[in-house]
Amino acid sequence: MNIFGSSILVTGASGGIGGAIARELASRGANLILVNRDPARLAEFAATLRKDGAQVTALAGDLALPGEPARLIAAALAHAGTIDILINCAGVQTFGLSADEAAHDTAQLFQVNTVAPIALANAVLPHMLQRGSGQIVNLGSIFGSIGFPCFASYSASKFALRGYSEALRRELAGSGVGVTYVAPRFTRTGFNRSVVNRMADALKMNQDEPEQVAASVVAAIEQDSRDRYLGWPEKLFVRINAVLPRLVDSSLMKQAGLMRPFATESTR
């Protein structure tokens, strides 16, 4: 899909990856609708983009609240008149041992990572289907294909988003509305707590910058990609895990032992 002149809604827009995506889209002439739960941070980010000539509508909203996705889509349509592309980038992460995870944290994680993107898609689909065009882009994770120890709930939420994206893409075949799933590997942003960054460094995990991920997301949009997995050898491991998961088990079980001290630290 063409970026220039398109009306694009981005959630998590002033965060690491979301902010980088918004800047990349602005540089390509998109009309942006930015959503973030922090009004002050969102206003500051939107003002910065406007100074560079971007057309930006800023909508503050907390996707963890029931009913908020539908309200935001309605507000976006009222302001912009149309939404050509929806990019679900907002997310939360839990890191630690599953036995230590609070039920409230698990519920909030699924609300933001899985329920909200589905609700946003459901709310915008009637508009896109009536027009016979549109694109829904869901930001997942390599952990959405490889269940990672100490990220059990986060992995599960991204597994669910990947499954939803696949099913919705098949459902919408021939409608003019496409669905793209992009799965980054570990990305160094403020999204990760200090202990997660230290764990990633200790395990020598491959890491990308937000701008690299943003460039891949925009390329996936322009090429109407169905899905895109970022990083080598991570994309290879996704394929291996799909057909030979027991082969991957032994490697990740060894890693779990190295991760456990950091996971224990995160709950103190």
Side-chain angles (χ1 to χ4, degrees):
M1 179 171 280
N2 186 39
I3 298 295
F4 183 82
S6 291
S7 179
I8 306 178
L9 189 154
V10 184
T11 68
S14 53
I17 293 177
I21 290 172
R23 286 189 292 271
E24 182 71 17
L25 293 171
S27 72
R28 293 168 180 260
N31 301 319
L32 297 175
I33 308 161
L34 305 183
V35 173
N36 191 275
R37 66 179 179 176
D38 186 333
R41 184 176 178 184
L42 177 62
E44 181 181 0
F45 181 61
T48 300
L49 293 178
R50 291 189 189 107
K51 285 181 181 178
D52 293 332
Q55 182 172 324
V56 182
T57 298
L59 297 175
D62 188 349
L63 295 174
L65 299 177
E68 194 72 348
R71 183 193 72 79
L72 288 166
I73 292 296
L77 289 172
H79 279 83
T82 187
I83 298 174
D84 298 303
I85 303 170
L86 165 66
I87 303 179
N88 284 310
C89 189
V92 296
Q93 181 191 89
T94 56
F95 169 66
L97 302 177
S98 294
D100 297 327
E101 185 171 299
H104 173 268
D105 292 338
T106 305
Q108 185 179 53
L109 179 142
F110 274 90
Q111 181 66 37
V112 176
N113 291 4
T114 309
V115 176
I118 293 174
L120 286 161
N122 288 346
V124 80
L125 271 172
H127 169 73
M128 289 184 172
L129 289 170
Q130 184 178 32
R131 297 174 64 236
S133 67
Q135 192 166 4
I136 295 169
V137 182
N138 292 325
L139 267 289
S141 170
I142 289 295
F143 288 9
S145 297
I146 303 173
F148 225 78
C150 302
F151 292 92
S153 292
Y154 179 75
S155 293
S157 71
K158 295 301 187 178
F159 264 78
L161 186 62
R162 177 172 62 87
Y164 172 75
S165 302
E166 183 178 275
L168 184 63
R169 182 186 306 118
R170 292 166 176 169
E171 179 181 323
L172 296 176
S175 70
V177 180
V179 179
T180 299
Y181 176 80
V182 181
R185 62 184 178 182
F186 187 89
T187 307
R188 187 171 286 278
T189 72
F191 179 73
N192 301 303
R193 289 178 293 160
S194 172
V195 65
V196 176
N197 285 324
R198 286 189 285 108
M199 180 272 296
D201 289 339
L203 270 62
K204 295 182 172 54
M205 294 176 69
N206 295 318
Q207 303 177 31
D208 291 324
E209 295 299 324
E211 291 73 20
Q212 294 173 278
V213 177
S216 293
V217 170
V218 171
I221 293 171
E222 291 179 323
Q223 296 166 18
D224 294 319
S225 300
R226 295 183 177 185
D227 47 46
R228 183 164 295 203
Y229 296 86
L230 309 185
W232 185 268
E234 287 79 6
K235 63 177 66 177
L236 173 62
F237 293 158
V238 166
R239 293 182 179 275
I240 294 173
N241 192 66
V243 295
L244 296 169
R246 302 293 77 82
L247 188 63
V248 179
D249 277 352
S250 58
S251 174
L252 289 185
M253 287 173 181
K254 290 177 183 176
Q255 276 204 334
L258 300 174
M259 296 169 69
R260 205 163 275 120
F262 295 97
T264 303
E265 177 186 339
S266 73
T267 59
R268 290 173 186 167

